[in-house]
Amino acid sequence: MPAACFRRVSRSAGLILAGTALLLTSCAQLDESRKTHTEGEGPLSARSYGVTLSAHAPKTSPWDVAFGGHQLCTTDGSTIEIEEFRLETEVQALRTELVVRTLQSGDVPSGWEERDDAENFTTKSGGLGRLPDLEDGRLVGRFTQAKPGLMVTQGCDEAKEIKNGYTELFVQFQVGERGAYMSTMWIDYRVNGRPYTLDLEWGAIACGDDIPLIDGHDYCAGTADDE
């Protein structure tokens, strides 16, 4: 289910948007009473809509790439406690990390939209480099490891306005010649003791020699300049 493409054109690398879902922890046995839902169907939202992101490899290896764009928020005002992030990877990266970017209201100056670095205040679908320093600039905010116990309290309506700040989830890869491919991601969480799982329907591809065809499509064919 490929989505429309976007890219940052570079002679060595670029980002492309496609359509599916990455494994950091082992898949836990899920409670039979746990409700699994997709975007918009439960208390936790990641503002994700079933896409796969892909990045062409630069000329040097190993290389780093971050995939993000997932703004964690509560749809109904509930306080959400994250239990676990689960990823399924079909081609393992040299290193995989989950990172949370927290941007508070005080981090966003008035008139930020007119700044030359305005895009570094907004959510980022991805970029080459290691957070917070990506190829097209240093991202604003604080960066911490995404781990169990993370509390999500900001409402999704409030998070729509950049000036209010937000919490963004990233997957950070270090990639060798094989590449890396995350096919699925889930977030297990609780609200008032009740267990839920958000199925992000999110994938990420860091191009390399071992990336398979996905739904019959080669997302790593050519380079960003060919798109």
Side-chain angles (χ1 to χ4, degrees), residues 59-217:
K59 295 178 180 178
T60 58
S61 182
W63 53 288
D64 296 292
V65 60
F67 297 101
H70 295 286
Q71 198 181 70
L72 302 179
C73 58
T74 172
T75 62
D76 60 4
S78 300
T79 296
I80 291 167
E81 181 178 4
I82 303 298
E83 292 185 297
E84 188 174 17
F85 297 89
R86 295 183 291 119
L87 295 80
E88 184 173 354
T89 52
E90 298 193 23
V91 180
Q92 295 279 359
L94 297 178
R95 182 169 62 187
T96 301
E97 300 170 82
L98 281 174
V99 178
V100 169
R101 174 194 187 191
T102 304
L103 194 71
Q104 298 178 343
S105 57
D107 298 325
V108 185
S110 59
W112 67 270
E113 302 95 331
E114 306 302 321
R115 292 173 51 134
D116 291 341
D117 62 346
E119 67 175 13
N120 293 326
F121 289 90
T122 61
T123 56
K124 298 286 288 186
S125 292
L128 297 181
R130 186 164 179 76
L131 294 165
D133 296 302
L134 300 184
E135 187 180 59
D136 52 359
R138 183 179 180 85
L139 298 186
V140 178
R142 277 156 296 287
F143 293 81
T144 58
Q145 181 183 0
K147 56 186 179 180
L150 173 68
M151 305 299 289
V152 178
T153 59
Q154 186 178 36
C156 293
D157 287 341
E158 182 185 15
K160 287 179 182 178
E161 297 289 335
I162 297 298
K163 65 181 181 181
N164 295 326
Y166 53 84
T167 299
E168 182 177 13
L169 177 64
F170 283 92
V171 173
Q172 174 83 63
F173 281 156
Q174 184 179 71
V175 188
E177 293 182 359
R178 294 184 63 223
Y181 172 35
M182 175 188 85
S183 57
T184 310
M185 183 173 184
W186 304 270
I187 302 177
D188 300 329
Y189 67 97
R190 286 183 179 266
V191 174
N192 296 322
R194 183 178 178 185
Y196 294 83
T197 295
L198 171 60
D199 182 349
L200 271 70
E201 301 183 297
W202 176 37
I205 302 164
C207 290
D209 295 342
D210 290 354
I211 302 302
L213 295 179
I214 300 169
D215 295 330
H217 189 85

Side-chain angles (χ1 to χ4, degrees), residues 7 9-10 16 56 220-227:
R7 63 182 185 276
V9 175
S10 160
I16 312 165
H56 284 294
C220 292
T223 67
D225 293 336
D226 297 330
E227 299 296 322

